[in-house]
């Protein structure tokens, strides 16, 4: 059961918008990057990692019934496993079905060519992990497809349409105060529209 506040759902929707944007950028860039050098492929990987991160962060906002600021503190990480560990077990297990173990093991630090060399080279040569993952277009497409499924899974949990545009345009304090008034948690009078 998802009893989240309007603000949590609005923030979740913004994270889902970002998630989708990263998937779109991946699809646009993949044709020229897959055949490119390791650095280009690693940046595609980072777009996929950020898409997963945003979908999981959205799910955290939809599942936790906590203060927005407390949730923000919990999600201040780029490590997928740390984000998954915040989720209730049922949601964590569902997300893990969309995320392969080898994908979860990657980090956004792999966006730098020097990190790619550290991750994929052993004894001066590229290792098997490299050829099974970022050198393999089918692996990328499989991960992208699963992340699209993850995005759609989380999107179905959003119940409140967002008013306004970008998160930067939303007055979070005002929305949070309006929610408190609506719930009877504030001494201020109800704000009329």
């Amino acid at each position: 059961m998802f009893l989240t506040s309007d603000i949590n759902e609005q923030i979740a929707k913004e994270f889902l918008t970002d998630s989708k944007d990263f998937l779109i950028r991946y699809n646009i860039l993949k044709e020229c990057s897959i055949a490119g050098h390791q650095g280009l492929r690693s940046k595609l990987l980072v777009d996929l990692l950020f898409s997963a991160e945003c979908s999981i962060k959205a799910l955290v906002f939809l599942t936790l019934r906590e203060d927005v600021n407390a949730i923000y503190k919990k999600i201040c990480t780029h490590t997928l496993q740390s984000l998954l560990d915040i989720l209730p077990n049922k949601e964590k297990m569902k997300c893990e079905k969309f995320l392969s173990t080898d994908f979860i093991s990657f980090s956004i630090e792999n966006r730098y060519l020097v990190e790619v060399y550290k991750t994929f080279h052993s004894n001066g040569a590229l290792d098997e992990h490299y050829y099974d993952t970022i050198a393999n277009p089918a692996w990328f497409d499989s991960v992208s497809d699963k992340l699209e499924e993850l995005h759609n899974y989380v999107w179905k949990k959003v119940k409140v349409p967002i008013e306004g545009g970008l998160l930067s345009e939303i007055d979070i304090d005002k929305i949070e105060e309006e929610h408190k008034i609506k719930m009877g948690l504030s001494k201020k009078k109800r704000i009329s529209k």
Side-chain angles (χ1 to χ4, degrees), residues 7-22 50-62 68 71-72 75-77 83 151 154-155 158 162 167:
I7 184 65
N8 287 33
E9 293 210 15
Q10 289 177 335
I11 292 169
K13 189 169 181 184
E14 293 296 333
F15 274 118
L16 287 169
T17 299
D18 287 344
S19 172
K20 187 66 168 180
D21 288 346
F22 284 117
F50 275 133
S51 175
E53 176 183 320
C54 290
S55 289
I56 296 168
K57 286 180 176 182
L59 190 56
V60 168
F61 271 97
L62 292 170
V68 170
I71 296 173
Y72 267 122
I75 66 165
C76 284
T77 181
L83 291 170
H151 177 272
V154 179
W155 183 257
V158 176
I162 194 165
L167 187 59

Side-chain angles (χ1 to χ4, degrees), residues 59 63-64 84-93:
L59 190 56
T63 58
L64 298 185
L84 289 169
D85 290 341
I86 296 169
L87 292 169
N89 280 337
K90 179 183 172 189
E91 293 300 333
K92 178 181 176 179
M93 289 171 43

